Amino acid sequence: ELLSSIQTKSGNWPWDIAITKSGDLLYTDPKDRTVNKVRSNQIQVVTRLESWWTPRSICGTHTGDILVLEVSYDEKQTQVVRYTDSSKKQTIRVNSNGKPLYSFGYYNKFICENKNLDICVSDYGAGAIVVVNQTGKLRFIYTGSPGTTKGLFFPSGIATDSQSQILTADSNSQCIHIIDQDGQFLRDIKHNDLHFPRVLCMNNSGNIFVAEWEAQVFDVGVQETETSRRLNLENGANYKLFVTKDSIDLGDFNRQEIKIKWPLKYIRRYGFHTRNLFMLEAGRRCETGEGCFNFFIDTNQKELKMAIDNAAYDQSEGAFSVKFRTLRN
């Protein structure tokens, strides 16, 4: 049953939402550079960021403060800022050696506060969970469990439970990692029907709510290029192309392993050389670096082109499509 519907103050789409300790709704508006609070259907601008920064992920804290993960406009810096009411009280950006705590670039990051007041960030670009204490001192960095993570670790959504355990969705291994408050791997949650989990949260009963982005999957073979040789892709070998809402991924579907991810934002061009030969040109900001990749595809050529066209269009329009699943911890 719909309880209420609220138009954002600026008319822009919100990046993230959260609930405060007092039950107010928070949302970030990157285009307007604002953090907003909704109370009794009235929107109040908590703060407007400096022109250099844009707000992304957000969470409320046990003390009533707000934690905002902010990214610079050139996407080369990331910081966590604590706000008390509308006043900036703390900025977390570097470790004790002056090195950045968080990666830079296009990739998403999510934030939450643990019950022990640690600040937990899932850093997709770094392939890590970065946890600092309430003063901003680094406690640990978790980069995945060797027994669970197949290939690279791609953490997305993050949540914590009543025991201060940290849960994160791993879209590469297609599971949910559970680690303790000191960064030790405890176990994972896997289900045959769970594909590309991206964001999650937990209720007081211990149920985990998972949003997953479904992918369209296509069988392809690699045609050798200078770039494929550099990345040790086997000429003529069979792979899977996964077309998701925001990227094209190359991997082994049966082993549930993603080898390469190309964000749509950084793909320069794509299309068919011939009826059965698909080309993708990656930009320099892709993890592969710049270069061309060629793939043989014997069936569903039109469906592949249409899937990428639709994903690119949805991204430009800010569309968001997910499936939800409920799991019990």
Side-chain angles (χ1 to χ4, degrees):
E1 180 183 356
L2 179 65
L3 297 180
S4 65
S5 179
I6 303 156
Q7 180 73 26
T8 60
K9 196 176 185 73
S10 65
N12 303 323
W13 54 271
W15 184 280
D16 195 15
I17 61 173
I19 301 296
T20 68
K21 185 180 180 181
S22 58
D24 296 327
L25 172 68
L26 300 170
Y27 73 88
T28 55
D29 185 335
K31 191 171 182 179
D32 201 37
R33 307 193 323 276
T34 55
V35 176
N36 303 270
K37 179 187 294 185
V38 182
R39 177 180 295 174
S40 301
N41 288 347
Q42 299 298 312
I43 300 177
Q44 169 194 351
V45 176
V46 175
T47 186
R48 188 181 302 275
L49 275 59
E50 303 167 0
S51 60
W52 182 249
W53 295 96
T54 178
R56 298 288 179 88
S57 298
I58 190 171
C59 75
T61 72
H62 293 81
T63 61
D65 294 339
I66 300 171
L67 294 172
V68 184
L69 195 145
E70 302 175 359
V71 177
S72 62
Y73 258 76
D74 63 1
E75 297 182 342
K76 293 184 177 180
Q77 297 181 72
T78 302
Q79 63 185 17
V80 172
V81 178
R82 181 188 298 272
Y83 293 92
T84 301
D85 296 324
S86 59
S87 300
K88 183 187 295 188
K89 293 297 183 182
Q90 181 185 25
T91 300
I92 302 168
R93 190 186 305 171
V94 297
N95 62 20
S96 57
N97 296 320
K99 301 293 184 180
L101 283 166
Y102 312 109
S103 70
F104 58 88
Y106 166 76
Y107 296 108
N108 286 340
K109 302 172 184 67
F110 295 90
I111 187 170
C112 69
E113 185 189 58
N114 212 349
K115 192 174 181 180
N116 62 2
L117 304 186
D118 284 346
I119 301 167
C120 312
V121 172
S122 63
D123 191 335
Y124 189 98
I129 303 297
V130 182
V131 177
V132 302
N133 65 19
Q134 58 184 314
T135 68
K137 182 179 180 181
L138 179 65
R139 289 203 61 235
F140 64 85
I141 297 176
Y142 171 78
T143 57
S145 167
T148 299
T149 307
K150 299 177 179 180
L152 298 177
F153 177 46
F154 291 119
S156 296
I158 191 168
T160 63
D161 65 12
S162 59
Q163 302 175 60
S164 292
Q165 296 176 157
I166 302 168
L167 299 87
T168 188
D170 180 357
S171 58
N172 182 35
S173 296
Q174 303 193 47
C175 69
I176 297 169
H177 295 237
I178 304 178
I179 60 178
D180 68 18
Q181 62 181 344
D182 297 315
Q184 298 300 309
F185 174 78
L186 299 176
R187 64 188 181 93
D188 60 26
I189 298 175
K190 290 184 177 179
H191 285 264
N192 291 333
D193 293 328
L194 187 64
H195 300 296
F196 297 98
R198 299 304 286 265
V199 292
L200 51 81
C201 66
M202 175 174 284
N203 67 9
N204 293 331
S205 300
N207 292 328
I208 306 167
F209 296 86
V210 184
E212 59 180 23
W213 290 0
E214 288 195 299
Q216 291 181 256
V217 185
F218 300 89
D219 293 300
V220 297
V222 171
Q223 183 190 60
E224 185 175 6
T225 64
E226 180 181 349
T227 313
S228 70
R229 288 196 301 271
R230 174 166 55 84
L231 296 173
N232 297 317
L233 298 180
E234 184 180 350
N235 184 36
N238 294 321
Y239 291 91
K240 300 280 185 176
L241 272 186
F242 301 83
V243 181
T244 73
K245 179 255 181 187
D246 64 341
S247 67
I248 301 175
D249 306 340
L250 180 70
D252 185 328
F253 182 76
N254 294 323
R255 294 174 58 191
Q256 296 186 337
E257 176 179 304
I258 302 299
K259 293 183 175 296
I260 299 173
K261 300 181 78 70
W262 294 285
L264 289 171
K265 182 176 181 179
Y266 299 137
I267 293 176
R268 291 177 177 170
R269 58 186 178 134
Y270 61 88
F272 280 89
H273 283 308
T274 64
R275 180 176 176 273
N276 297 328
L277 186 62
F278 177 77
M279 180 277 296
L280 179 156
E281 182 178 353
R284 62 181 178 81
R285 299 185 71 176
C286 291
E287 62 185 47
T288 60
E290 58 187 348
C292 290
F293 298 85
N294 291 335
F295 303 100
F296 296 109
I297 175 169
D298 293 328
T299 60
N300 299 319
Q301 295 93 345
K302 291 182 179 179
E303 287 79 2
L304 173 60
K305 178 68 163 50
M306 183 180 299
I308 302 175
D309 287 345
N310 289 339
Y313 174 79
D314 286 348
Q315 187 180 62
S316 67
E317 293 297 311
F320 185 73
S321 178
V322 299
K323 285 179 62 179
F324 291 96
R325 301 190 186 278
T326 305
L327 309 176
R328 184 172 296 278
N329 185 9

